[in-house]
Amino acid sequence: MTRRLRPSVNAGSMADIAFLLLIFFLVSTKMETDYGITRKLSPPADDYPTEAIIMEKNLFKVELNQLNELSVEGTSMKISALKDAAIAFLDNGGGFGELACNYCKGEGDVTSSDHPTKAIISLINNRETNYATYVAVQNELVAAYTELRNREAKRLYGFSFTEIRKSFKDARNPNDKEVLRERIKTIQSLYPEKITEAEPRNQY
C-alpha cells in the first residue's frame, strides 16, 4: 500500500516575491517634502489678557483682495516691491528718546514706525485669495526681516544671520551652540518678527 504525500506550497518563491515587492516600494516611493510657512505661534494668552495699544504709525497694513491684488497702506503695489517697502517701514527708526533706534538706517520719517521692536505688519487676506499669492506675500515679508537680520548680524559678528542659524543647526560643531544661540536671540531681538493676520474677509 502506497502512502500519498500531502501537496505543499513552495514558500521559497513567495518570500522572493515579497522581497522584490519591498525593494520596489522602497525604490519607487517618493517621500513628500514638508513645505509651507514656518511660523512660531504665540504662547497661550493669560487668564486676563491685557489690551495692547498700538500706534497707527507703527502698523504696516498689507491687504490682499479676492483678485489677488496687493495694497499696502491703501495704495496698490506689486508683490516684487513689497520687501523693500517692508524694510523701509521696519528700519525707519522714527522714534525719539527711549524709542530711538541707534542701529536703524532708515529715513527717520516721523509718520512711520518708531522702532523695529514696535513695528507690526498686519496682513489681511480675502477668502478667495489665491494660495500661491498668499505664500508669495508671506515670503516677501519674511525676506524683509531676513535681510535686516543679515545686515545686523554681519555688523555685529561678521557673519550673516542665515549663516549663524545654519551653523547652529550643524551637528558638527556642538561646542559653539550656546554662543550661536545667544547671537540668534540678540539679532531676533533687534528685529523681532511681528506679523499679524486678521480673520480673512469674504470680499472687499
Side-chain angles (χ1 to χ4, degrees):
M1 185 176 177
T2 58
R3 295 182 60 186
R4 289 187 178 179
L5 297 175
R6 287 185 177 177
S8 61
V9 178
N10 186 2
S13 60
M14 293 181 66
D16 292 341
I17 292 172
F19 182 73
L20 289 173
L21 286 173
L22 177 63
I23 296 296
F24 172 76
F25 283 115
L26 288 174
V27 172
S28 62
T29 301
K30 181 181 177 183
M31 297 295 180
E32 292 293 333
T33 305
D34 290 338
Y35 66 95
I37 301 168
T38 56
R39 187 65 45 81
K40 184 178 180 181
L41 299 177
S42 57
D46 297 333
D47 293 337
Y48 302 100
T50 56
E51 187 173 338
I53 299 174
I54 302 170
M55 294 179 67
E56 189 71 22
K57 67 176 187 174
N58 287 323
L59 202 59
F60 189 67
K61 296 178 182 175
V62 179
E63 297 186 19
L64 270 172
N65 66 14
Q66 70 274 17
L67 300 175
N68 301 314
E69 295 169 337
L70 176 68
S71 72
V72 176
E73 299 289 353
T75 305
S76 296
M77 180 180 288
K78 291 185 178 180
I79 294 178
S80 58
L82 178 59
K83 186 180 81 172
D84 290 338
I87 288 174
F89 168 76
L90 295 169
D91 202 38
N92 178 58
F96 300 96
E98 294 180 355
L99 292 178
C101 177
N102 57 7
Y103 55 88
C104 292
K105 302 190 185 309
E107 297 180 355
D109 184 0
V110 293
T111 63
S112 188
S113 73
D114 290 325
H115 196 278
T117 58
K118 299 291 181 185
I120 298 174
I121 295 177
S122 171
L123 178 58
I124 302 174
N125 301 289
N126 188 280
R127 293 189 189 281
E128 298 177 16
T129 300
N130 183 288
Y131 184 72
T133 307
Y134 168 77
V135 172
V137 167
Q138 288 273 356
N139 285 340
E140 292 299 311
L141 296 176
V142 173
Y145 281 102
T146 302
E147 186 167 322
L148 292 170
R149 287 174 173 179
N150 282 340
R151 185 193 74 192
E152 285 308 301
K154 282 186 177 178
R155 180 178 67 85
L156 294 173
Y157 308 117
F159 297 97
S160 70
F161 182 71
T162 305
E163 290 171 328
I164 294 173
R165 288 188 68 179
K166 187 177 179 181
S167 298
F168 178 73
K169 292 179 181 178
D170 191 350
R172 289 174 293 184
N173 54 349
N175 298 328
D176 299 334
K177 294 292 183 188
E178 281 305 314
V179 175
L180 294 172
R181 182 182 286 110
E182 286 304 314
R183 289 182 176 181
I184 289 171
K185 285 183 179 178
T186 300
I187 298 300
Q188 287 176 333
S189 67
L190 295 177
Y191 289 99
E193 190 176 296
K194 295 184 178 181
I195 301 176
T196 65
E197 289 189 55
E199 185 75 17
R201 295 177 178 173
N202 289 326
Q203 60 182 4
Y204 287 98

